[in-house]
Amino acid sequence: MKIAMVSEHASPLAVLGGVDAGGQNVHVAALSGTLADRGHQVTVYTRRDDASLPARVMLRPGVEVVHVDAGPARSVPKDELYPYMATFAQVLAAEWFVDRPDVVHGHFWMSGHAALDAVTQVQARTGGTRIPIVQTFHALGVVKRRHQGAADTSPAEREWIEPAVGRGVDQVVATCSDEAFELKALGVPLHAISVVPCGVDVDRFRPTGPVEERGRSARILTASRLVRRKGVGTTIAALARLVEAGRDVELVVVGGAGTAGADLADDPEYQRLDALARSLGVRDHVSFRGQLGQDAMPAVYRSADVVVCAPWYEPFGIVPLEAMACGRPVVASQVGGLIDTVVEDATGMHVPPRDEAAVAAAVAGLLDDPARAAAYGAAGRDRVESRYAWTRVAADTERVYERLIGGAALAPRTSGRGAHASRSVRATERTAR
């Protein structure tokens, strides 16, 4: 089938780890590539953020990236892109009028908004049936506002457009069970929600292979974009408790603006975290590594005794999957997608968000019990292989597309609580496990 992926701010060609580049870029690239491996033709539409980029780029056989001219041809924070979505939609409509896809898959709320607009324009011009639309939000504004309050920089329009997108598309692919119930609260019917998680490259991230050398007897790793909600400060504070207890432990922090061509010291969140580590007396126990490429990360994961993911909230979270794929035990906040991916007392441990004492206690327990840590790591690898490999994720996504193209999910929606809705609840809960 011909699949149109719309990812307005997250290009699969983007460098990972910047302020607006991360898990969504990985998701779009990997899902598109694996669908192409399954025989489909995938076109990814993303906004041009550099004037030197060619109009079309072959990412790999079967996957083409189209750079859409909408707004200035430079990097723009994603929360400032909404004014350009009408132009983005016009370009999509013109493209799809000439070369109609079998299904459209929007990623993030603005992509869904543009995709709906474009599909409506195509249908108005052709008078034919509507192109089926699938939507993955990757993050929900209502959750972001709940945790960030006044610090949320999302445009005001997101508050009503995002739920409208959820109700207007043909199927929403939630990445975890927690998101599915958030969507239900926004008025998206349960029969229009499928749970398909994000995936991980199980060939790249594996337990065997090079191991980075470390400087102390124990190592904790955290990897994320350096934004406050990711909870790196909580992990640093937990480290201080471990050091105060006499442990010879180091913390490696991967992420931020630092690359070969950029200075990590210019990153405001790095400056805050650096000051925090100094104030707690553990700066010499913390190594800020900046961005690392995907190929460098497996050796870093393997060098860690424990991987800590302590965000305030997390729509899904790729890092726990990568850590589990490398056979590492995970200590994770009991929030969002981490509730699904990390199985308590099986592949890792859950802790309350923003609770440095709980993080320190969980890490200490694993450092003191290497056999348990090893068992968690082995179980994590098994879980990732069976549930989160991209081959499984792509196959599940393909089934969503096929149902829509077959017309089974295009019937008028209802919000009733009949047998269909009940079956959807059970299917959602069963798939999320």
Side-chain angles (χ1 to χ4, degrees):
M1 71 184 81
K2 292 167 64 175
I3 303 163
M5 296 278 184
V6 184
S7 182
E8 96 291 329
H9 76 273
S11 169
L13 302 174
V15 176
L16 300 179
V19 174
D20 284 337
Q24 185 175 327
N25 305 73
V26 174
H27 184 101
V28 173
L31 177 60
S32 298
T34 311
L35 287 167
D37 290 342
R38 295 177 67 83
H40 304 294
Q41 178 184 335
V42 183
T43 305
V44 182
Y45 297 88
T46 192
R47 198 189 73 85
R48 179 191 296 280
D49 60 5
D50 185 333
S52 67
L53 291 171
R56 309 179 92 92
V57 177
M58 289 301 298
L59 178 65
R60 54 177 291 174
V63 182
E64 184 177 40
V65 178
V66 176
H67 291 114
V68 175
D69 290 309
R74 57 175 171 78
S75 179
V76 176
K78 68 174 181 284
D79 287 336
E80 298 175 15
L81 290 176
Y82 174 72
Y84 310 120
M85 288 303 101
T87 301
F88 197 100
Q90 290 171 359
V91 175
L92 295 179
E95 175 102 1
W96 296 343
F97 179 71
V98 175
D99 188 13
R100 177 188 173 104
D102 296 308
V103 64
V104 171
H105 192 158
H107 295 268
F108 201 58
W109 70 276
M110 282 183 284
S111 292
H113 176 60
L116 270 168
D117 188 355
V119 166
T120 300
Q121 292 181 47
V122 172
Q123 186 177 20
R125 292 178 65 183
T126 63
T129 57
R130 190 175 95 155
I131 303 168
I133 310 173
V134 176
Q135 173 67 18
T136 299
F137 283 106
H138 294 277
L140 290 173
V142 65
V143 179
K144 188 177 181 182
R145 285 192 304 275
R146 187 182 306 150
H147 290 275
Q148 293 192 6
D152 180 11
T153 57
S154 300
E157 293 86 352
R158 183 175 186 175
E159 184 174 356
W160 63 88
I161 290 177
E162 188 169 75
V165 169
R167 295 190 293 266
V169 300
D170 298 296
Q171 192 78 184
V172 178
V173 172
T175 56
C176 66
S177 54
D178 183 68
E179 183 186 359
F181 291 107
E182 293 281 359
L183 288 164
K184 179 177 180 292
L186 292 177
V188 181
L190 280 173
H191 69 266
I193 302 171
S194 300
V195 177
V196 181
C198 299
V200 65
D201 184 339
V202 295
D203 295 321
R204 171 181 282 137
F205 296 95
R206 62 186 189 277
T208 58
V211 179
E212 182 180 87
E213 187 175 344
R214 62 194 194 189
R216 295 182 182 271
S217 58
R219 172 179 279 192
I220 306 166
L221 169 69
T222 189
S224 74
R225 289 181 292 128
L226 290 192
V227 292
R228 197 160 189 154
R229 73 169 179 86
K230 290 292 187 177
V232 178
T234 301
T235 306
I236 291 174
L239 171 74
R241 289 173 175 260
L242 295 170
V243 172
E244 185 179 6
R247 294 180 182 272
D248 182 37
V249 59
E250 65 185 357
L251 169 64
V252 173
V253 179
V254 176
T259 64
D263 187 355
L264 182 62
D266 293 333
D267 187 314
E269 181 64 2
Y270 162 76
Q271 295 169 4
R272 187 187 74 84
L273 294 170
D274 176 71
L276 174 64
R278 292 181 188 279
S279 70
L280 294 173
V282 293
R283 185 61 184 85
D284 60 337
H285 290 258
V286 183
S287 173
F288 291 95
R289 301 290 294 278
Q291 295 179 26
L292 293 178
Q294 289 276 288
D295 289 339
M297 283 302 297
V300 181
Y301 279 119
R302 295 183 198 115
S303 72
D305 294 290
V306 183
V307 176
V308 176
C309 304
W312 303 354
Y313 69 96
E314 186 61 70
F316 185 77
I318 295 293
V319 168
L321 292 186
E322 294 176 347
M324 289 158 59
C326 289
R328 299 295 87 196
V330 179
V331 172
S333 297
Q334 193 171 14
V335 296
L338 307 186
I339 298 172
D340 285 358
T341 55
V342 179
V343 181
E344 172 69 16
D345 200 27
T347 70
M349 301 177 69
H350 286 136
V351 293
R354 307 198 211 194
D355 190 335
E356 64 196 62
V359 172
V363 170
L366 290 170
L367 293 179
D368 289 339
D369 192 347
R372 178 162 63 111
Y376 285 178
R381 175 66 188 186
D382 289 344
R383 179 166 174 76
V384 165
E385 285 185 327
S386 65
R387 180 72 187 101
Y388 298 103
W390 277 111
T391 50
R392 165 74 184 271
V393 172
D396 289 349
T397 305
E398 182 185 76
R399 281 191 282 272
V400 173
Y401 297 163
E402 289 173 342
R403 288 200 307 270
L404 292 181
I405 292 171
L410 295 177
R413 295 181 180 174
T414 66
S415 58
R417 301 180 180 179
H420 188 186
S422 298
R423 287 195 300 271
S424 297
V425 172
R426 291 195 294 271
T428 296
E429 293 173 340
R430 184 169 58 250
T431 307
R433 291 193 186 107

